[in-house]
Amino acid sequence: MADSSPLRDQLRSVCVYCGSSETTKPDYLDLATRFGRALAGRGLRMVYGGGAVGLMGRCARAAHEAGGDVLGIMPRFLERREITYEAVPHRMVDTMHERKHIMFEESDAFVVLPGGIGTLEEAVETLSWRRLDLHKKLVVFLSEDDFWAPFFALMQHTVEANLTPASFSDAVVYARSIEDCFTALGAPARV
Ligand code: AMP
């Protein structure tokens, strides 16, 4: 049956924000691997920061090895620290701002896997652009163990103080499984 979701029609590339840590919980690294594979399985291109380390590296490698398209955006000064994943196309840039700008421009939606300060920074900036009506792209926070629950509690805290409009929740999705994530994006598994 044809999928009539409007987002599905526009959904070609998904930007993945996620941690660069190699020493995080194995479950998070495994989630990144499964998510990369799932992107490839749905014919969606993965856009990301370009590194070979942590969840970033796991996700990109899995997507690439499953036959998916991947685009990495790597700032030159981070090349050694985050180790550019050379097997996939990547663009080298000079600044973090350029990296984020290209990741934004090249993507139709954003998925945030577990990550640290860098992941938060990228996700929050994307949300802030949506808050300013600079785009209408969806941001999905995906974790299988409620990793992102404290962040949603914080956002709700700002809503309750009338600092963020309640309607802003339309822009942000909380997904507890890969399948829920793709359903939110309008790209459920084909059966
Ligand atoms: P982390 O979650 O701290 O492991 O960082 C995840 C990724 O976000 C890493 O590739 C960082 O280089 C990247 N990152 C951190 N800060 C920024 C920023 N201001 N702009 C773009 N990417 C960033």
Side-chain angles (χ1 to χ4, degrees), residues 10 30 32 42 55 68-69 86 88 92 95 107 110 118 123 145 147 152:
Q10 306 156 9
D30 181 59
R42 285 166 173 78
L55 279 76
D69 286 336
E86 304 278 353
V88 299
M92 302 305 293
T95 67
S107 306
F110 304 85
D145 67 348
F147 175 84
F152 274 70

Side-chain angles (χ1 to χ4, degrees), residues 7-160:
L7 183 56
R8 177 65 189 138
D9 294 341
Q10 306 156 9
L11 192 68
R12 301 274 178 275
S13 295
V14 174
C15 181
V16 179
Y17 297 140
C18 60
S20 56
S21 169
E22 281 290 331
T23 54
T24 186
K25 291 186 184 175
D27 284 355
Y28 296 160
L29 297 168
D30 181 59
L31 172 64
T33 298
R34 286 182 284 118
F35 188 68
R37 227 176 265 144
L39 280 172
R42 285 166 173 78
L44 295 168
R45 181 177 69 152
M46 172 183 171
V47 176
Y48 85 117
V53 295
L55 279 76
M56 304 165 70
R58 299 304 193 288
C59 194
R61 184 167 291 108
H64 174 63
E65 289 178 358
D69 286 336
V70 179
L71 173 65
I73 318 293
M74 177 61 80
R76 286 183 183 84
F77 75 95
L78 279 178
E79 239 190 309
R80 288 174 67 175
R81 181 161 158 179
E82 296 189 355
I83 311 173
T84 308
Y85 182 37
E86 304 278 353
V88 299
H90 51 273
R91 291 195 212 158
M92 302 305 293
V93 295
D94 288 324
T95 67
M96 302 303 260
H97 288 293
E98 275 181 87
R99 176 198 238 181
K100 274 189 296 194
H101 186 70
I102 296 173
M103 288 165 77
F104 175 81
E105 289 293 328
E106 291 287 342
S107 306
D108 305 309
F110 304 85
V111 174
V112 189
L113 300 179
I117 292 296
T119 302
L120 267 173
E121 197 275 347
E122 292 170 313
V124 169
E125 181 161 74
T126 303
L127 288 176
S128 75
W129 291 348
R130 170 110 186 201
R131 174 80 178 92
L132 297 172
D133 294 322
L134 294 173
H135 70 89
K136 291 266 179 239
K137 301 175 187 180
L138 202 60
V139 183
V140 182
F141 286 75
L142 168 61
S143 64
E144 295 171 316
D145 67 348
D146 286 334
F147 175 84
W148 287 118
F151 179 68
F152 274 70
L154 180 60
M155 279 204 295
Q156 185 56 27
H157 183 60
T158 71
V159 169
E160 281 160 17

